[in-house]
Amino acid sequence: MAVLDVLRMGHPLLRQRARKVSDSEIHSPEMKKLIEDMVDTMHAHDGVGLAAPQVGASIRMAIIELDPENDRYTYGGETRLGVYFNPEIEVLDETPQSFWEGCLSVPGLRGRVTRPRQVRVHYTNLEGERCVLEAEDFLATVFQHEFDHLDGVLYVDRLEDTHQLTYLDEFHQFWLGDEADVEV
Ligand code: ZN
């Protein structure tokens, strides 16, 4: 087990478009180790997701793990760790929705970001199979945030109103309502 360093905003690698992962790489021991270390890293920081570029691997892969205690983050009641290779997002419902977002690469801040309400995700799983899933509401935001990392995009790029960018203490003091506070 290893907790990796998480790159912070300002590191050029976070701004690169990550490359695709090949089928042989998916099954490699190096990939297995990277995923295990990313899970350890995500848990160490209490995140719900982590993209490979955040730990310095510029490849199109991200992990997302949702809290079984919180209905907002489960996949229809079922909770699991998801590993997503070469994901592509298709917007199913463009209705804008906004949530507070945090990011392990932008520590100490929260910002309110507007994104489409419902998406379909096409991706390759750990077995190398092409899969599809649909996500709406907050889960749709989590996928969009995570996969933005693979294109070198951070949530702060998507802020429409910088008045809704806040440090964590002030977030808890002035802004946090009944929403959960998560970092991805
Ligand atoms: Zn992030």
Side-chain angles (χ1 to χ4, degrees):
M1 118 162 227
V3 174
L4 305 171
D5 288 339
V6 178
L7 305 188
R8 306 203 311 172
M9 183 169 60
H11 195 297
L13 195 144
L14 286 174
R15 295 315 207 159
Q16 291 174 13
R17 183 177 162 82
R19 69 166 177 82
K20 275 194 158 185
V21 181
S22 71
D23 286 348
S24 59
E25 280 178 297
I26 289 174
H27 300 289
S28 69
E30 292 80 11
M31 188 63 73
K32 185 168 183 287
K33 171 92 169 81
L34 175 62
I35 292 166
E36 286 171 359
D37 289 348
M38 283 176 61
V39 171
D40 291 340
T41 305
M42 180 176 70
H43 288 164
H45 293 282
D46 289 327
V48 300
L50 192 64
Q54 292 180 277
V55 294
S58 191
I59 57 173
R60 303 188 78 75
M61 184 267 280
I63 61 175
I64 294 173
E65 185 177 52
L66 301 169
D67 181 354
E69 301 299 314
N70 192 325
D71 289 344
R72 279 177 74 204
Y73 312 138
T74 57
Y75 298 79
E78 173 195 351
T79 184
R80 62 188 165 125
L81 173 72
V83 181
Y84 305 92
F85 294 101
N86 303 327
E88 284 163 41
I89 282 192
E90 176 190 348
V91 174
L92 295 182
D93 179 357
E94 290 187 2
T95 307
Q97 62 174 6
S98 66
F99 289 103
W100 289 99
E101 296 187 24
C103 181
L104 297 178
S105 294
V106 190
L109 292 173
R110 293 291 182 273
R112 197 152 179 99
V113 180
T114 301
R115 301 179 188 268
R117 196 192 71 80
Q118 189 182 23
V119 296
R120 180 179 290 146
V121 179
H122 304 260
Y123 66 100
T124 302
N125 68 9
L126 272 174
E127 282 72 47
E129 302 157 341
R130 204 65 184 156
C131 304
V132 178
L133 67 80
E134 290 178 10
E136 57 186 355
D137 302 326
F138 184 73
L139 187 55
T141 278
V142 171
F143 278 107
Q144 291 172 83
H145 174 121
E146 218 53 70
F147 299 157
D148 264 355
H149 279 296
L150 309 182
D151 291 327
V153 174
L154 300 175
Y155 82 80
V156 292
D157 304 338
R158 298 197 182 277
L159 287 170
E160 288 175 0
D161 178 1
T162 49
H163 291 193
Q164 292 192 312
L165 179 66
T166 168
Y167 285 105
L168 210 44
D169 285 349
E170 285 73 11
F171 174 63
H172 285 283
Q173 189 176 352
F174 298 111
W175 296 96
L176 182 62
D178 53 4
E179 283 187 45
D181 180 26
V182 297
E183 286 188 305
V184 283

